[in-house]
Amino acid sequence: MIRLRLAVALAGVFCASLAVAQATDPRRSGYLEMGPALQKMQDDDTANPAMLFVQAGAATWAEKVGTAGKSCADCHGDAAVSMRGVAARYPAVTPPLDRPVDLGRRINLCRTTHQQAPALEAEGNDLLALSAFVTLQSRGLPIAPPEDSKLAAMQAQGADLYKRRQGQLNLSCASCHDDNAGRKLAGATIPQAHPTGYPIYRLEWQALGSLKRRLRNCLVGMRAEPWEEGAAEYLALEAYLMDRARGMPLDAPGVRP
Amino acid sequence: MANVLVNAPKTAKKGDTVEIKALIMHPMETGFRPGANGRIIPRNIVEEFSATWNGREVFRMKMSPAIAANPFVSFFTAATESGTIVLRWSGDEGFVAEHRIAITVT
């Protein structure tokens, strides 16, 4: 009984310190920068339009495809158990490849190797929907990129890209998201660029979109040439941003203005 | 079948006001935008949304091309009797979707 009380007390102290850590963490997710109306929209699973895609992703999860005739569920079982925390780790090094890949690529690897099915179109609705369904299973969990030398190299490359000035406006990611975060760019609050909600339903897009799409948006905004599709730069930046947001809770699938 | 998300109470007291919220996946293509090939993408919208409570119409709205993709509709109605609320969307290219809600009124 005393032990139990001690355990409860310790758990209480732990939770309180976690709350303090969150309260003192200067990092703010894009969710916190939104108005209360949009926050409510995201929090209500019957009002968040991304949940429509999650619904479609859940159907894809259970669908038998390819010459192997297997569904995701045939190998992975209940996604709520097997996919818990997965999206919080990616990009990560994954077999059979020896280099980091993002979640979408990981899903397509499963499709081509285990299901013997054609890969889903990169950033197409089907892949985004399945990614959203997988990411939902990590909602509320802290972002936790694995410790890995290959991933660390990629994160370092991403950190360089983040600070590198480019484009006609001669801006770097850091010029807005570090130096001017919280201030206004026209009517919009500049967020700190923590990728906690991807894939996001962006109201401006009227669609679900990936972090890559967001990065392309930013690149065009700073009048730089977006990297070509599948370029290593996107993955490097994504790896760096996830590391930068380490420990922040995932709130995916998010709604953003 | 289209993807639909509906938020409605399962039970209500007779005479109470109930809120029904419905979200449906639909591109709501305006018919004014050129596609990648420069040609106008034909209009493809939900034209009408209606709700019937045990066959009696309680809500109807016309939609226009200015409404965003994946339209979200919320409306209030008075709880009258137990039964089924049928939500129905219809639009261009023969689009029809239905969703049934069972509700108990006490």
Side-chain angles (χ1 to χ4, degrees):
Chain A
M1 195 62 202
I2 292 169
R3 263 199 192 163
L4 184 69
R5 269 192 205 152
L6 188 68
V8 169
L10 276 176
V13 169
F14 176 72
C15 287
S17 61
L18 194 70
V20 169
Q22 275 173 355
T24 54
D25 190 344
R27 295 178 302 176
R28 285 171 64 82
S29 69
Y31 175 86
L32 293 176
E33 304 290 4
M34 299 197 299
L38 285 183
Q39 290 183 348
K40 274 186 92 169
M41 185 180 186
Q42 172 171 328
D43 293 341
D44 181 350
D45 282 347
T46 53
N48 180 345
M51 295 308 284
L52 289 168
F53 292 84
V54 168
Q55 213 176 37
T60 309
W61 176 266
E63 184 190 4
K64 289 186 191 297
V65 289
T67 49
K70 282 200 276 192
S71 71
C72 307
D74 285 340
C75 290
H76 294 289
D78 184 3
V81 179
S82 61
M83 290 297 120
R84 189 178 151 80
V86 169
R89 294 194 288 112
Y90 276 82
V93 177
T94 183
L97 300 181
D98 199 25
R99 55 189 166 80
V101 296
D102 59 17
L103 186 62
R105 181 95 171 83
R106 172 63 261 181
I107 290 171
N108 267 336
L109 276 171
C110 258
R111 277 184 73 90
T112 49
T113 56
H114 301 304
Q115 294 179 300
Q116 302 283 320
L120 296 170
E121 185 199 346
E123 296 187 63
N125 269 343
D126 292 337
L127 187 57
L128 284 169
L130 191 50
S131 302
F133 173 70
V134 170
T135 308
L136 176 70
Q137 317 305 327
S138 304
R139 184 149 75 176
L141 295 178
I143 292 175
E147 302 293 340
D148 186 295
S149 59
K150 290 201 181 72
L151 185 61
M154 189 166 265
Q155 287 162 348
Q157 192 194 341
D160 280 349
L161 282 169
Y162 184 84
K163 293 185 198 96
R164 184 191 299 167
R165 287 183 180 271
Q166 52 183 328
Q168 290 178 324
L169 300 183
N170 199 31
L171 294 170
S172 67
C173 309
S175 315
C176 285
H177 298 291
D178 282 352
D179 302 347
N180 287 293
R183 300 173 71 182
K184 295 283 183 188
L185 181 65
T189 306
I190 302 172
Q192 294 180 359
H194 297 297
T196 57
Y198 288 88
I200 55 168
Y201 189 92
R202 192 161 177 235
L203 299 179
E204 189 184 310
W205 295 337
Q206 299 183 34
L208 198 66
S210 65
L211 179 53
K212 285 188 187 63
R213 183 169 179 185
R214 176 65 261 187
L215 294 176
R216 278 202 304 275
N217 253 217
C218 272
L219 287 166
V220 170
M222 59 211 247
R223 315 237 179 103
E225 184 98 10
W227 302 303
E228 60 191 78
E229 199 186 313
E233 281 89 346
Y234 291 113
L235 192 59
L237 253 185
E238 191 169 334
Y240 169 65
L241 290 175
M242 287 297 268
D243 187 45
R244 186 167 162 268
R246 182 184 292 275
M248 296 177 79
L250 272 185
D251 61 275
V255 173
R256 294 293 183 269
Chain B
M1 183 60 199
N3 281 318
V4 174
L5 285 172
V6 171
N7 187 355
K10 287 192 174 61
T11 57
K13 282 209 182 83
K14 196 173 171 73
D16 270 5
T17 308
V18 291
E19 185 181 14
I20 316 271
K21 295 189 248 184
L23 181 64
I24 188 166
M25 191 184 255
H26 195 281
M28 294 298 281
E29 187 58 57
T30 61
F32 298 113
R33 299 194 310 159
N37 60 5
R39 294 218 184 92
I40 296 290
I41 306 169
R43 194 186 89 158
N44 178 18
I45 66 167
V46 176
E47 288 177 288
E48 197 171 276
F49 169 74
S50 69
T52 53
W53 192 313
N54 283 351
R56 189 171 60 86
E57 188 167 272
V58 291
F59 184 82
R60 174 199 291 271
M61 76 178 279
K62 287 251 181 225
M63 293 200 187
S64 72
I67 291 176
N70 308 317
F72 174 79
V73 179
S74 161
F75 64 92
F76 295 88
T77 184
T80 48
E81 56 191 17
S82 297
T84 313
I85 307 168
V86 180
L87 306 180
R88 191 172 190 277
W89 294 260
S90 59
D92 295 332
E93 301 183 9
F95 179 81
V96 176
E98 268 191 5
H99 184 88
R100 290 165 176 274
I101 310 161
I103 186 164
T104 310
V105 178
T106 52

